[in-house]
Amino acid sequence: MRYYNLILFLAFLTSCIPYKKISIEYYDKPSINLNPNSRNITILTNFHLRDTSSKLGKLDWYLDSVSSVEATMALSDLLERSPVFENNSFNSQSIIRTDTNKVILPLKWSILDSICQKEESSLVISLEYLKVRPTFETYPVWRTDYKEYYGFLDVTLYAYWRIYDVSSRKIALGKLFTDTLSWEQYDWIEVTPGNQLPGVFEACAYAGAYTGEKFSEQLAPLWKQGERVVFVPFGNALMDKAYSFAVKGQWIEAASIWQKLSSSSNQKLAAQASFNMALASEMNGKFELAITWLNEAKKKHPSISHINSYMKLLKERVENNK
């Protein structure tokens, strides 16, 4: 009997909580806005011809080539998955450059014309150059009464991207990316690549994919999963109806109810509806309006919960979408 009463008490307590959690999907605007004027976009890999007569020269060529392919593959995959480019299609091309200039010169428009003609594209995202430099070292480390080994593998990468708008004969972007990726390990035996550490080819391939991933973040953000609070006070049929719209992603229908209730003479209910209007505004990409609604909720009922945490989140989204 005591256990049954506890169940009833918990059910009653849960029903008195005036809000529910709702799962959402969203994305922020890219920091680089392309606005392509053609449906097809070409991703171009540039291989730079060099002396491969020595083993070291051949290895250097292979590592850079593997990294370059991984970079453009990662970029293409992430762009295709982004909602920003949901109406675009991507194709991959590659060329071998024979120029030996120390400066990475732009490609000639005649070359770009021939590349674009194959796929009827007018925008080319080109990995102009990518250089990886792996560094490995291992040595013993003496502890108080035993010896172990420490080893590390670093891959320094240098990449340069260009975006060509072939139809307008303009270079839309030139972007340099540099970084160093590191792996390290301790072991009782000597630490070497391919054993305790990634293999050199594997590490360089990963570095290339990482380059493509970081560049894609600036062009094409992916969908993010999130969670938000929605006020659904117990026993209010209109708030229940609005919530049923919200969970289906029908934010305009939900907002039409919340906006009416935001003028209720019941200040607590009006504050809760105003809070929900902030969420509806966020879901429609109107972040400044969302902040206005949140301030309205706080003015109507200062003690309403979740105001401060949601305000912080909205201000972050405003910054991310400037």
Side-chain angles (χ1 to χ4, degrees):
M1 186 67 178
R2 186 176 300 174
Y3 178 74
Y4 177 73
N5 289 336
L6 178 61
I7 295 292
L8 288 177
F9 174 73
L10 290 175
F12 171 76
L13 191 64
T14 303
S15 67
C16 291
I17 297 175
Y19 61 84
K20 295 180 180 180
K21 297 288 183 70
I22 186 171
S23 297
I24 65 166
E25 281 189 329
Y26 67 96
Y27 70 92
D28 294 321
K29 289 182 180 178
S31 58
I32 300 170
N33 194 1
L34 288 182
N35 289 326
N37 53 15
S38 70
R39 186 176 184 277
N40 298 327
I41 298 174
T42 296
I43 309 294
L44 183 64
T45 308
N46 289 256
F47 299 112
H48 288 259
L49 197 61
R50 66 191 70 166
D51 183 12
T52 57
S53 58
S54 67
K55 289 184 178 180
L56 186 60
K58 190 174 291 185
L59 176 63
D60 191 51
W61 158 262
Y62 286 157
L63 291 177
D64 290 347
S65 299
V66 166
S67 301
S68 297
V69 170
E70 290 293 333
T72 50
M73 285 177 59
L75 177 67
S76 180
D77 177 60
L78 291 168
L79 293 184
E80 287 178 349
R81 289 162 49 193
S82 172
V84 174
F85 292 99
E86 62 185 356
N87 296 319
N88 298 102
S89 60
F90 296 87
N91 64 87
S92 298
Q93 301 284 335
S94 63
I95 60 171
I96 296 178
R97 296 176 65 156
T98 58
D99 55 287
T100 58
N101 297 291
K102 293 184 178 180
V103 178
I104 307 167
L105 298 175
L107 292 166
K108 294 179 179 180
W109 292 112
S110 58
I111 295 175
L112 292 164
D113 284 336
S114 63
I115 290 171
C116 292
Q117 192 173 8
K118 296 176 184 178
E119 301 293 340
E120 298 182 349
S121 59
S122 62
L123 193 75
V124 177
I125 303 175
S126 174
L127 176 59
E128 302 280 274
Y129 180 80
L130 187 135
K131 179 65 186 172
V132 289
R133 293 187 182 277
T135 305
F136 160 71
E137 190 172 346
T138 185
Y139 50 84
V141 178
W142 289 94
R143 305 301 184 186
T144 305
D145 54 352
Y146 65 92
K147 180 178 73 173
E148 65 178 355
Y149 287 87
Y150 168 76
F152 71 87
L153 174 63
D154 290 347
V155 177
T156 302
L157 57 98
Y158 176 100
Y160 194 80
W161 299 87
R162 276 198 182 100
I163 299 179
Y164 299 91
D165 188 335
V166 181
S167 59
S168 64
R169 289 299 198 253
K170 289 182 179 179
I171 297 176
L173 178 73
K175 190 74 174 179
L176 173 66
F177 178 77
T178 62
D179 207 343
T180 300
L181 304 184
S182 299
W183 295 264
E184 60 179 359
Q185 189 63 264
Y186 287 92
D187 205 340
W188 300 109
I189 60 174
E190 191 172 8
V191 178
T192 58
N195 291 315
Q196 303 93 328
L197 297 170
V200 173
F201 271 90
E202 180 187 358
C204 289
Y206 181 86
Y210 174 77
T211 306
E213 178 185 341
K214 299 307 289 185
F215 188 51
S216 75
E217 289 176 0
Q218 301 178 58
L219 301 175
L222 299 177
W223 286 107
K224 299 178 183 177
Q225 303 293 326
E227 196 174 62
R228 297 290 187 268
V229 165
V230 181
F231 280 95
V232 193
F234 180 70
N236 189 302
L238 285 175
M239 290 291 263
D240 281 337
K241 184 177 181 180
Y243 175 72
S244 68
F245 283 130
V247 295
K248 297 173 186 175
Q250 297 173 309
W251 294 103
I252 294 176
E253 292 81 355
S256 66
I257 298 174
W258 290 329
Q259 188 166 16
K260 291 177 183 178
L261 293 176
S262 68
S263 301
S264 171
S265 58
N266 182 331
Q267 289 296 93
K268 187 173 183 180
L269 177 62
Q272 292 171 340
S274 297
F275 184 102
N276 291 352
M277 278 300 298
L279 175 57
S281 301
E282 182 198 359
M283 291 297 97
N284 285 299
K286 300 176 180 178
F287 309 115
E288 297 287 357
L289 180 60
I291 290 175
T292 301
W293 274 110
L294 210 54
N295 285 326
E296 186 70 17
K298 190 171 185 178
K299 185 166 64 176
K300 291 178 184 296
H301 201 281
S303 62
I304 188 172
S305 61
H306 300 286
I307 287 278
N308 293 334
S309 58
Y310 192 30
M311 181 66 78
K312 180 180 177 181
L313 190 152
L314 284 174
K315 288 180 177 179
E316 288 176 357
R317 293 213 65 196
V318 169
E319 286 297 314
N320 292 339
N321 287 275
K322 279 185 177 179

